[in-house]
């Protein structure tokens, strides 16, 4: 019996989406709905700011080398530019990188070829993967984590914001939170932050009583707008149902036998 092949090809898929939504760049690298994208982006930024606070404050990244792994159409570039670090956005889609360069001509962007990051080893102080790794099958995730580790300095940090779940679905290959953490720590990291998030907390609460209420109210445009407004505040309070995500911050062990902050 012939083995079924997953039709999802990441580079081709995101190139096509970038061409389709070139004039709507947030939809190019996220969902097709502007309101849903507001929920997603605000929750992701809230999680990222929490991680930055764990590093100390925004000043802790000033003059540091930052890699935005899987930057898409540059949704997070402006936030990173506020940190005062040396930013580079990287993506497998050349079409996405074209959008990034047109939106942020003052910033650096590069195309990733053959699952290799085009930088020297131990180049970055911080690498972030925001909803990127879970769009790759598990064996490829392992290779990408190894490659990210190659370019992170000893004592540097890796921030992941990825899908949490036990089974694959359309274009997503989530893992349990423990599995994510164990996969990264096995590469020589300590986990210093792990938190669950929910993109659409109001919608998920309405779905709790049953499908009847959920189907009637949960996707109403008023509920979606309410989610967009309150999701950063409530996303940590409703870690249930689909669309679960986890924010994880890791520090890479120092190679030398001395404190990482020495």
């Amino acid at each position: 019996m012939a083995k079924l092949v997953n039709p999802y090809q990441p580079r081709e898929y995101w190139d096509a989406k970038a061409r389709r939504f070139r004039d709507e760049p947030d939809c190019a690298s996220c969902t097709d709905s502007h309101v849903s994208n507001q929920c997603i982006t605000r929750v992701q930024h809230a999680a990222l700011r929490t991680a930055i606070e764990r590093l100390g404050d925004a000043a802790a990244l000033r003059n540091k080398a930052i890699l935005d792994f899987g930057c898409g159409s540059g949704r997070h570039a402006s936030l990173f530019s506020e940190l005062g670090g040396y930013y580079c956005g990287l993506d497998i889609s050349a079409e996405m990188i074209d959008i990034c360069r047109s939106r942020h001509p003052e910033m650096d962007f590069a195309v990733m070829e053959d699952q290799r990051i085009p930088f020297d080893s131990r180049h970055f102080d911080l690498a972030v993967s925001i909803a990127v790794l879970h769009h790759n099958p598990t064996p490829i995730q392992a290779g990408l984590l190894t490659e990210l580790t190659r370019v992170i300095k000893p004592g540097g940090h890796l921030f992941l914001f990825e899908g949490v779940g036990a089974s694959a679905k359309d274009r997503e290959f989530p893992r349990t939170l423990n599995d994510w953490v164990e996969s990264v720590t096995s590469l020589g990291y300590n986990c210093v932050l792990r938190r669950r998030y929910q993109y659409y907390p109001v919608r998920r609460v309405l779905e709790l009583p049953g499908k009847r209420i959920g189907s009637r109210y949960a996707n109403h445009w008023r509920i979606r707008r309410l989610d967009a407004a309150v999701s950063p505040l409530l996303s940590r309070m409703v870690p249930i149902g689909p669309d679960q995500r986890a924010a994880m911050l890791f520090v890479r062990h120092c190679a030398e036998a001395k404190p990482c902050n020495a």
Side-chain angles (χ1 to χ4, degrees), residues 95-139:
E95 299 282 350
M96 289 288 186
I97 294 300
D98 284 345
I99 294 176
C100 290
R101 288 170 175 163
S102 65
R103 297 178 76 188
H104 306 283
E106 76 288 359
M107 303 181 80
D108 292 328
F109 297 94
V111 179
M112 182 175 178
E113 300 287 350
D114 300 323
Q115 298 180 20
R116 181 169 176 82
I117 297 173
F119 288 93
D120 293 336
S121 298
R122 303 184 176 190
H123 184 87
F124 292 99
D125 298 281
L126 170 67
V128 302
S129 169
I130 302 177
V132 176
L133 292 179
H134 71 234
H135 285 299
N136 297 272
T138 302

mmCIF file of all heavy atoms in Angstrom, residues 95-139:
data_model
loop_
_atom_site.group_PDB
_atom_site.id
_atom_site.type_symbol
_atom_site.label_atom_id
_atom_site.label_comp_id
_atom_site.label_asym_id
_atom_site.label_seq_id
_atom_site.Cartn_x
_atom_site.Cartn_y
_atom_site.Cartn_z
ATOM 1 N N GLU A 95 9.200 35.281 -1.230
ATOM 2 C CA GLU A 95 8.103 36.231 -1.428
ATOM 3 C C GLU A 95 7.807 36.991 -0.133
ATOM 4 O O GLU A 95 7.535 38.196 -0.155
ATOM 5 C CB GLU A 95 6.852 35.491 -1.900
ATOM 6 C CG GLU A 95 7.000 34.748 -3.213
ATOM 7 C CD GLU A 95 6.927 35.670 -4.427
ATOM 8 O OE1 GLU A 95 6.565 36.860 -4.236
ATOM 9 O OE2 GLU A 95 7.222 35.208 -5.539
ATOM 10 N N MET A 96 7.846 36.301 0.998
ATOM 11 C CA MET A 96 7.648 36.965 2.285
ATOM 12 C C MET A 96 8.770 37.974 2.547
ATOM 13 O O MET A 96 8.524 39.091 3.022
ATOM 14 C CB MET A 96 7.596 35.935 3.411
ATOM 15 C CG MET A 96 6.355 35.075 3.435
ATOM 16 S SD MET A 96 4.885 35.969 3.975
ATOM 17 C CE MET A 96 3.710 34.596 4.060
ATOM 18 N N ILE A 97 9.998 37.584 2.256
ATOM 19 C CA ILE A 97 11.128 38.483 2.487
ATOM 20 C C ILE A 97 11.013 39.727 1.606
ATOM 21 O O ILE A 97 11.365 40.839 2.033
ATOM 22 C CB ILE A 97 12.454 37.745 2.248
ATOM 23 C CG1 ILE A 97 12.636 36.654 3.310
ATOM 24 C CG2 ILE A 97 13.623 38.714 2.275
ATOM 25 C CD1 ILE A 97 12.664 37.164 4.741
ATOM 26 N N ASP A 98 10.505 39.585 0.395
ATOM 27 C CA ASP A 98 10.275 40.763 -0.455
ATOM 28 C C ASP A 98 9.307 41.732 0.211
ATOM 29 O O ASP A 98 9.496 42.957 0.167
ATOM 30 C CB ASP A 98 9.726 40.330 -1.819
ATOM 31 C CG ASP A 98 10.796 39.742 -2.730
ATOM 32 O OD1 ASP A 98 11.994 39.934 -2.429
ATOM 33 O OD2 ASP A 98 10.434 39.094 -3.725
ATOM 34 N N ILE A 99 8.243 41.190 0.828
ATOM 35 C CA ILE A 99 7.289 42.039 1.541
ATOM 36 C C ILE A 99 7.988 42.741 2.710
ATOM 37 O O ILE A 99 7.817 43.943 2.933
ATOM 38 C CB ILE A 99 6.087 41.218 2.046
ATOM 39 C CG1 ILE A 99 5.260 40.691 0.870
ATOM 40 C CG2 ILE A 99 5.208 42.057 2.973
ATOM 41 C CD1 ILE A 99 4.113 39.783 1.282
ATOM 42 N N CYS A 100 8.786 41.977 3.467
ATOM 43 C CA CYS A 100 9.502 42.556 4.607
ATOM 44 C C CYS A 100 10.389 43.714 4.179
ATOM 45 O O CYS A 100 10.411 44.771 4.828
ATOM 46 C CB CYS A 100 10.365 41.489 5.278
ATOM 47 S SG CYS A 100 9.457 40.217 6.155
ATOM 48 N N ARG A 101 11.127 43.520 3.123
ATOM 49 C CA ARG A 101 12.062 44.552 2.672
ATOM 50 C C ARG A 101 11.349 45.799 2.179
ATOM 51 O O ARG A 101 11.862 46.908 2.329
ATOM 52 C CB ARG A 101 12.966 43.977 1.585
ATOM 53 C CG ARG A 101 13.990 42.979 2.133
ATOM 54 C CD ARG A 101 14.718 42.225 1.044
ATOM 55 N NE ARG A 101 15.776 41.373 1.615
ATOM 56 C CZ ARG A 101 16.350 40.368 0.965
ATOM 57 N NH1 ARG A 101 15.965 40.071 -0.283
ATOM 58 N NH2 ARG A 101 17.272 39.638 1.552
ATOM 59 N N SER A 102 10.144 45.619 1.617
ATOM 60 C CA SER A 102 9.385 46.792 1.179
ATOM 61 C C SER A 102 8.762 47.528 2.365
ATOM 62 O O SER A 102 8.629 48.754 2.335
ATOM 63 C CB SER A 102 8.306 46.377 0.179
ATOM 64 O OG SER A 102 7.331 45.543 0.782
ATOM 65 N N ARG A 103 8.405 46.786 3.412
ATOM 66 C CA ARG A 103 7.802 47.410 4.599
ATOM 67 C C ARG A 103 8.850 48.024 5.516
ATOM 68 O O ARG A 103 8.602 49.051 6.155
ATOM 69 C CB ARG A 103 7.005 46.371 5.405
ATOM 70 C CG ARG A 103 5.831 45.772 4.704
ATOM 71 C CD ARG A 103 5.150 44.728 5.588
ATOM 72 N NE ARG A 103 4.359 45.326 6.649
ATOM 73 C CZ ARG A 103 3.787 44.630 7.636
ATOM 74 N NH1 ARG A 103 3.950 43.322 7.693
ATOM 75 N NH2 ARG A 103 3.060 45.242 8.554
ATOM 76 N N HIS A 104 10.001 47.386 5.620
ATOM 77 C CA HIS A 104 11.030 47.810 6.572
ATOM 78 C C HIS A 104 12.384 47.872 5.857
ATOM 79 O O HIS A 104 13.282 47.071 6.135
ATOM 80 C CB HIS A 104 11.098 46.833 7.747
ATOM 81 C CG HIS A 104 9.802 46.606 8.442
ATOM 82 N ND1 HIS A 104 9.253 47.514 9.327
ATOM 83 C CD2 HIS A 104 8.919 45.567 8.361
ATOM 84 C CE1 HIS A 104 8.108 47.045 9.789
ATOM 85 N NE2 HIS A 104 7.875 45.881 9.213
ATOM 86 N N PRO A 105 12.565 48.830 4.953
ATOM 87 C CA PRO A 105 13.805 48.877 4.166
ATOM 88 C C PRO A 105 15.058 49.131 5.001
ATOM 89 O O PRO A 105 16.175 48.849 4.554
ATOM 90 C CB PRO A 105 13.556 50.024 3.179
ATOM 91 C CG PRO A 105 12.492 50.864 3.825
ATOM 92 C CD PRO A 105 11.628 49.901 4.579
ATOM 93 N N GLU A 106 14.874 49.633 6.216
ATOM 94 C CA GLU A 106 16.020 49.933 7.069
ATOM 95 C C GLU A 106 16.505 48.726 7.864
ATOM 96 O O GLU A 106 17.543 48.793 8.551
ATOM 97 C CB GLU A 106 15.651 51.058 8.048
ATOM 98 C CG GLU A 106 14.765 50.660 9.216
ATOM 99 C CD GLU A 106 13.297 50.370 8.848
ATOM 100 O OE1 GLU A 106 12.934 50.503 7.661
ATOM 101 O OE2 GLU A 106 12.533 50.013 9.770
ATOM 102 N N MET A 107 15.779 47.609 7.783
ATOM 103 C CA MET A 107 16.101 46.434 8.586
ATOM 104 C C MET A 107 16.665 45.316 7.702
ATOM 105 O O MET A 107 16.512 45.333 6.474
ATOM 106 C CB MET A 107 14.856 45.957 9.346
ATOM 107 C CG MET A 107 14.260 47.039 10.237
ATOM 108 S SD MET A 107 12.801 46.510 11.172
ATOM 109 C CE MET A 107 13.589 45.618 12.512
ATOM 110 N N ASP A 108 17.309 44.351 8.355
ATOM 111 C CA ASP A 108 17.958 43.255 7.629
ATOM 112 C C ASP A 108 17.051 42.029 7.566
ATOM 113 O O ASP A 108 16.493 41.608 8.581
ATOM 114 C CB ASP A 108 19.271 42.869 8.316
ATOM 115 C CG ASP A 108 20.319 43.964 8.209
ATOM 116 O OD1 ASP A 108 20.315 44.691 7.195
ATOM 117 O OD2 ASP A 108 21.134 44.094 9.138
ATOM 118 N N PHE A 109 16.977 41.434 6.373
ATOM 119 C CA PHE A 109 16.193 40.220 6.160
ATOM 120 C C PHE A 109 16.968 39.282 5.246
ATOM 121 O O PHE A 109 17.756 39.722 4.403
ATOM 122 C CB PHE A 109 14.831 40.543 5.539
ATOM 123 C CG PHE A 109 13.954 41.401 6.403
ATOM 124 C CD1 PHE A 109 13.952 42.779 6.252
ATOM 125 C CD2 PHE A 109 13.145 40.829 7.383
ATOM 126 C CE1 PHE A 109 13.150 43.584 7.062
ATOM 127 C CE2 PHE A 109 12.354 41.619 8.194
ATOM 128 C CZ PHE A 109 12.354 42.995 8.037
ATOM 129 N N ALA A 110 16.738 37.991 5.413
ATOM 130 C CA ALA A 110 17.443 37.002 4.601
ATOM 131 C C ALA A 110 16.532 35.806 4.343
ATOM 132 O O ALA A 110 15.601 35.537 5.107
ATOM 133 C CB ALA A 110 18.726 36.546 5.303
ATOM 134 N N VAL A 111 16.804 35.083 3.265
ATOM 135 C CA VAL A 111 16.062 33.877 2.893
ATOM 136 C C VAL A 111 16.847 32.659 3.373
ATOM 137 O O VAL A 111 18.066 32.574 3.185
ATOM 138 C CB VAL A 111 15.839 33.803 1.374
ATOM 139 C CG1 VAL A 111 15.086 32.526 1.008
ATOM 140 C CG2 VAL A 111 15.064 35.032 0.887
ATOM 141 N N MET A 112 16.137 31.718 3.980
ATOM 142 C CA MET A 112 16.762 30.492 4.464
ATOM 143 C C MET A 112 16.662 29.416 3.393
ATOM 144 O O MET A 112 15.588 29.143 2.863
ATOM 145 C CB MET A 112 16.070 30.028 5.744
ATOM 146 C CG MET A 112 16.655 28.789 6.365
ATOM 147 S SD MET A 112 15.847 28.423 7.952
ATOM 148 C CE MET A 112 16.690 26.908 8.412
ATOM 149 N N GLU A 113 17.786 28.801 3.084
ATOM 150 C CA GLU A 113 17.838 27.744 2.082
ATOM 151 C C GLU A 113 18.253 26.428 2.735
ATOM 152 O O GLU A 113 19.149 26.399 3.591
ATOM 153 C CB GLU A 113 18.835 28.107 0.977
ATOM 154 C CG GLU A 113 18.500 29.393 0.221
ATOM 155 C CD GLU A 113 17.316 29.245 -0.718
ATOM 156 O OE1 GLU A 113 16.862 28.092 -0.929
ATOM 157 O OE2 GLU A 113 16.847 30.276 -1.247
ATOM 158 N N ASP A 114 17.619 25.348 2.321
ATOM 159 C CA ASP A 114 18.028 23.996 2.730
ATOM 160 C C ASP A 114 18.106 23.825 4.242
ATOM 161 O O ASP A 114 18.998 23.151 4.766
ATOM 162 C CB ASP A 114 19.381 23.645 2.099
ATOM 163 C CG ASP A 114 19.329 23.686 0.578
ATOM 164 O OD1 ASP A 114 18.280 23.285 0.017
ATOM 165 O OD2 ASP A 114 20.313 24.112 -0.035
ATOM 166 N N GLN A 115 17.184 24.462 4.962
ATOM 167 C CA GLN A 115 17.087 24.325 6.417
ATOM 168 C C GLN A 115 18.385 24.708 7.131
ATOM 169 O O GLN A 115 18.675 24.219 8.221
ATOM 170 C CB GLN A 115 16.667 22.904 6.802
ATOM 171 C CG GLN A 115 15.297 22.526 6.261
ATOM 172 C CD GLN A 115 14.895 21.127 6.641
ATOM 173 O OE1 GLN A 115 15.406 20.534 7.572
ATOM 174 N NE2 GLN A 115 13.923 20.575 5.912
ATOM 175 N N ARG A 116 19.154 25.607 6.522
ATOM 176 C CA ARG A 116 20.377 26.091 7.156
ATOM 177 C C ARG A 116 20.284 27.604 7.328
ATOM 178 O O ARG A 116 19.970 28.323 6.383
ATOM 179 C CB ARG A 116 21.613 25.730 6.346
ATOM 180 C CG ARG A 116 22.905 26.211 7.024
ATOM 181 C CD ARG A 116 24.142 25.625 6.362
ATOM 182 N NE ARG A 116 25.369 26.163 6.971
ATOM 183 C CZ ARG A 116 25.913 25.703 8.087
ATOM 184 N NH1 ARG A 116 25.341 24.686 8.727
ATOM 185 N NH2 ARG A 116 27.017 26.231 8.581
ATOM 186 N N ILE A 117 20.564 28.062 8.534
ATOM 187 C CA ILE A 117 20.550 29.490 8.835
ATOM 188 C C ILE A 117 21.843 30.104 8.304
ATOM 189 O O ILE A 117 22.938 29.642 8.652
ATOM 190 C CB ILE A 117 20.414 29.715 10.350
ATOM 191 C CG1 ILE A 117 19.064 29.144 10.834
ATOM 192 C CG2 ILE A 117 20.518 31.196 10.701
ATOM 193 C CD1 ILE A 117 18.893 29.162 12.340
ATOM 194 N N PRO A 118 21.751 31.127 7.450
ATOM 195 C CA PRO A 118 22.950 31.654 6.777
ATOM 196 C C PRO A 118 23.774 32.598 7.653
ATOM 197 O O PRO A 118 24.075 33.738 7.269
ATOM 198 C CB PRO A 118 22.346 32.383 5.571
ATOM 199 C CG PRO A 118 21.017 32.859 6.059
ATOM 200 C CD PRO A 118 20.512 31.759 6.963
ATOM 201 N N PHE A 119 24.153 32.123 8.835
ATOM 202 C CA PHE A 119 25.006 32.897 9.733
ATOM 203 C C PHE A 119 25.997 31.961 10.397
ATOM 204 O O PHE A 119 25.776 30.749 10.497
ATOM 205 C CB PHE A 119 24.170 33.606 10.799
ATOM 206 C CG PHE A 119 23.365 34.756 10.266
ATOM 207 C CD1 PHE A 119 22.052 34.572 9.838
ATOM 208 C CD2 PHE A 119 23.921 36.023 10.166
ATOM 209 C CE1 PHE A 119 21.314 35.616 9.331
ATOM 210 C CE2 PHE A 119 23.185 37.087 9.655
ATOM 211 C CZ PHE A 119 21.880 36.879 9.244
ATOM 212 N N ASP A 120 27.095 32.547 10.862
ATOM 213 C CA ASP A 120 28.113 31.763 11.546
ATOM 214 C C ASP A 120 27.577 31.220 12.861
ATOM 215 O O ASP A 120 26.608 31.740 13.432
ATOM 216 C CB ASP A 120 29.351 32.619 11.825
ATOM 217 C CG ASP A 120 30.076 33.023 10.551
ATOM 218 O OD1 ASP A 120 29.922 32.311 9.543
ATOM 219 O OD2 ASP A 120 30.781 34.052 10.576
ATOM 220 N N SER A 121 28.225 30.190 13.366
ATOM 221 C CA SER A 121 27.861 29.631 14.667
ATOM 222 C C SER A 121 28.068 30.680 15.765
ATOM 223 O O SER A 121 28.943 31.550 15.655
ATOM 224 C CB SER A 121 28.720 28.395 14.966
ATOM 225 O OG SER A 121 28.491 27.388 14.000
ATOM 226 N N ARG A 122 27.231 30.585 16.799
ATOM 227 C CA ARG A 122 27.314 31.471 17.967
ATOM 228 C C ARG A 122 27.235 32.943 17.576
ATOM 229 O O ARG A 122 27.977 33.777 18.079
ATOM 230 C CB ARG A 122 28.599 31.201 18.751
ATOM 231 C CG ARG A 122 28.731 29.744 19.213
ATOM 232 C CD ARG A 122 29.949 29.533 20.067
ATOM 233 N NE ARG A 122 29.994 28.160 20.568
ATOM 234 C CZ ARG A 122 30.847 27.733 21.495
ATOM 235 N NH1 ARG A 122 31.713 28.572 22.015
ATOM 236 N NH2 ARG A 122 30.815 26.480 21.894
ATOM 237 N N HIS A 123 26.313 33.256 16.687
ATOM 238 C CA HIS A 123 26.188 34.624 16.173
ATOM 239 C C HIS A 123 25.176 35.462 16.950
ATOM 240 O O HIS A 123 25.369 36.666 17.122
ATOM 241 C CB HIS A 123 25.783 34.577 14.695
ATOM 242 C CG HIS A 123 25.725 35.921 14.041
ATOM 243 N ND1 HIS A 123 26.827 36.517 13.471
ATOM 244 C CD2 HIS A 123 24.690 36.800 13.879
ATOM 245 C CE1 HIS A 123 26.481 37.699 12.978
ATOM 246 N NE2 HIS A 123 25.188 37.894 13.209
ATOM 247 N N PHE A 124 24.085 34.830 17.422
ATOM 248 C CA PHE A 124 22.967 35.581 17.984
ATOM 249 C C PHE A 124 22.892 35.464 19.507
ATOM 250 O O PHE A 124 23.157 34.402 20.080
ATOM 251 C CB PHE A 124 21.648 35.107 17.373
ATOM 252 C CG PHE A 124 21.508 35.451 15.925
ATOM 253 C CD1 PHE A 124 21.788 34.502 14.942
ATOM 254 C CD2 PHE A 124 21.129 36.717 15.528
ATOM 255 C CE1 PHE A 124 21.679 34.810 13.603
ATOM 256 C CE2 PHE A 124 21.012 37.044 14.187
ATOM 257 C CZ PHE A 124 21.288 36.090 13.223
ATOM 258 N N ASP A 125 22.487 36.575 20.130
ATOM 259 C CA ASP A 125 22.233 36.586 21.571
ATOM 260 C C ASP A 125 20.827 36.089 21.883
ATOM 261 O O ASP A 125 20.591 35.536 22.964
ATOM 262 C CB ASP A 125 22.400 38.010 22.125
ATOM 263 C CG ASP A 125 23.816 38.530 21.944
ATOM 264 O OD1 ASP A 125 24.683 38.140 22.738
ATOM 265 O OD2 ASP A 125 24.039 39.322 20.999
ATOM 266 N N LEU A 126 19.901 36.299 20.967
ATOM 267 C CA LEU A 126 18.509 35.870 21.142
ATOM 268 C C LEU A 126 17.955 35.421 19.799
ATOM 269 O O LEU A 126 18.098 36.128 18.795
ATOM 270 C CB LEU A 126 17.654 37.008 21.691
ATOM 271 C CG LEU A 126 16.131 36.780 21.693
ATOM 272 C CD1 LEU A 126 15.747 35.682 22.679
ATOM 273 C CD2 LEU A 126 15.387 38.074 22.024
ATOM 274 N N ALA A 127 17.342 34.252 19.776
ATOM 275 C CA ALA A 127 16.601 33.789 18.599
ATOM 276 C C ALA A 127 15.168 33.521 19.024
ATOM 277 O O ALA A 127 14.930 32.964 20.100
ATOM 278 C CB ALA A 127 17.227 32.530 18.017
ATOM 279 N N VAL A 128 14.213 33.936 18.202
ATOM 280 C CA VAL A 128 12.805 33.715 18.513
ATOM 281 C C VAL A 128 12.145 32.969 17.366
ATOM 282 O O VAL A 128 12.429 33.215 16.195
ATOM 283 C CB VAL A 128 12.056 35.043 18.781
ATOM 284 C CG1 VAL A 128 12.701 35.808 19.925
ATOM 285 C CG2 VAL A 128 11.990 35.911 17.544
ATOM 286 N N SER A 129 11.293 32.036 17.715
ATOM 287 C CA SER A 129 10.459 31.321 16.748
ATOM 288 C C SER A 129 9.022 31.477 17.210
ATOM 289 O O SER A 129 8.606 30.863 18.197
ATOM 290 C CB SER A 129 10.852 29.839 16.683
ATOM 291 O OG SER A 129 9.883 29.105 15.945
ATOM 292 N N ILE A 130 8.280 32.327 16.531
ATOM 293 C CA ILE A 130 6.907 32.632 16.935
ATOM 294 C C ILE A 130 5.952 31.975 15.948
ATOM 295 O O ILE A 130 5.762 32.442 14.828
ATOM 296 C CB ILE A 130 6.669 34.159 17.006
ATOM 297 C CG1 ILE A 130 7.664 34.786 17.995
ATOM 298 C CG2 ILE A 130 5.235 34.462 17.412
ATOM 299 C CD1 ILE A 130 7.564 36.295 18.102
ATOM 300 N N ALA A 131 5.379 30.836 16.376
ATOM 301 C CA ALA A 131 4.434 30.074 15.550
ATOM 302 C C ALA A 131 5.066 29.681 14.221
ATOM 303 O O ALA A 131 4.482 29.866 13.157
ATOM 304 C CB ALA A 131 3.154 30.876 15.327
ATOM 305 N N VAL A 132 6.264 29.125 14.292
ATOM 306 C CA VAL A 132 7.001 28.727 13.093
ATOM 307 C C VAL A 132 7.307 27.232 13.106
ATOM 308 O O VAL A 132 6.969 26.507 12.162
ATOM 309 C CB VAL A 132 8.318 29.525 12.971
ATOM 310 C CG1 VAL A 132 9.120 29.041 11.767
ATOM 311 C CG2 VAL A 132 8.030 31.011 12.853
ATOM 312 N N LEU A 133 7.937 26.754 14.164
ATOM 313 C CA LEU A 133 8.365 25.353 14.199
ATOM 314 C C LEU A 133 7.187 24.399 14.051
ATOM 315 O O LEU A 133 7.311 23.347 13.409
ATOM 316 C CB LEU A 133 9.103 25.065 15.508
ATOM 317 C CG LEU A 133 10.466 25.737 15.688
ATOM 318 C CD1 LEU A 133 11.052 25.382 17.041
ATOM 319 C CD2 LEU A 133 11.423 25.338 14.571
ATOM 320 N N HIS A 134 6.027 24.743 14.636
ATOM 321 C CA HIS A 134 4.909 23.797 14.591
ATOM 322 C C HIS A 134 4.289 23.679 13.195
ATOM 323 O O HIS A 134 3.395 22.865 12.984
ATOM 324 C CB HIS A 134 3.847 24.142 15.645
ATOM 325 C CG HIS A 134 3.058 25.383 15.372
ATOM 326 N ND1 HIS A 134 2.950 26.404 16.271
ATOM 327 C CD2 HIS A 134 2.295 25.770 14.316
ATOM 328 C CE1 HIS A 134 2.174 27.362 15.803
ATOM 329 N NE2 HIS A 134 1.759 26.987 14.603
ATOM 330 N N HIS A 135 4.766 24.465 12.239
ATOM 331 C CA HIS A 135 4.326 24.305 10.852
ATOM 332 C C HIS A 135 5.214 23.320 10.092
ATOM 333 O O HIS A 135 5.104 23.203 8.864
ATOM 334 C CB HIS A 135 4.321 25.659 10.134
ATOM 335 C CG HIS A 135 3.171 26.540 10.519
ATOM 336 N ND1 HIS A 135 1.858 26.180 10.301
ATOM 337 C CD2 HIS A 135 3.133 27.744 11.137
ATOM 338 C CE1 HIS A 135 1.059 27.137 10.752
ATOM 339 N NE2 HIS A 135 1.803 28.088 11.268
ATOM 340 N N ASN A 136 6.064 22.604 10.820
ATOM 341 C CA ASN A 136 6.947 21.613 10.219
ATOM 342 C C ASN A 136 6.745 20.263 10.912
ATOM 343 O O ASN A 136 6.551 20.222 12.130
ATOM 344 C CB ASN A 136 8.409 22.033 10.367
ATOM 345 C CG ASN A 136 8.721 23.321 9.637
ATOM 346 O OD1 ASN A 136 9.054 23.308 8.461
ATOM 347 N ND2 ASN A 136 8.617 24.445 10.338
ATOM 348 N N PRO A 137 6.803 19.155 10.173
ATOM 349 C CA PRO A 137 6.702 17.837 10.815
ATOM 350 C C PRO A 137 7.768 17.674 11.896
ATOM 351 O O PRO A 137 8.831 18.295 11.844
ATOM 352 C CB PRO A 137 6.913 16.867 9.649
ATOM 353 C CG PRO A 137 6.495 17.647 8.441
ATOM 354 C CD PRO A 137 6.906 19.061 8.712
ATOM 355 N N THR A 138 7.484 16.808 12.870
ATOM 356 C CA THR A 138 8.347 16.665 14.040
ATOM 357 C C THR A 138 9.812 16.396 13.699
ATOM 358 O O THR A 138 10.701 17.003 14.302
ATOM 359 C CB THR A 138 7.800 15.565 14.960
ATOM 360 O OG1 THR A 138 6.457 15.902 15.338
ATOM 361 C CG2 THR A 138 8.639 15.460 16.224
ATOM 362 N N PRO A 139 10.138 15.499 12.751
ATOM 363 C CA PRO A 139 11.560 15.279 12.447
ATOM 364 C C PRO A 139 12.256 16.545 11.954
ATOM 365 O O PRO A 139 13.433 16.780 12.270
ATOM 366 C CB PRO A 139 11.514 14.202 11.355
ATOM 367 C CG PRO A 139 10.211 13.501 11.553
ATOM 368 C CD PRO A 139 9.262 14.576 11.990
#
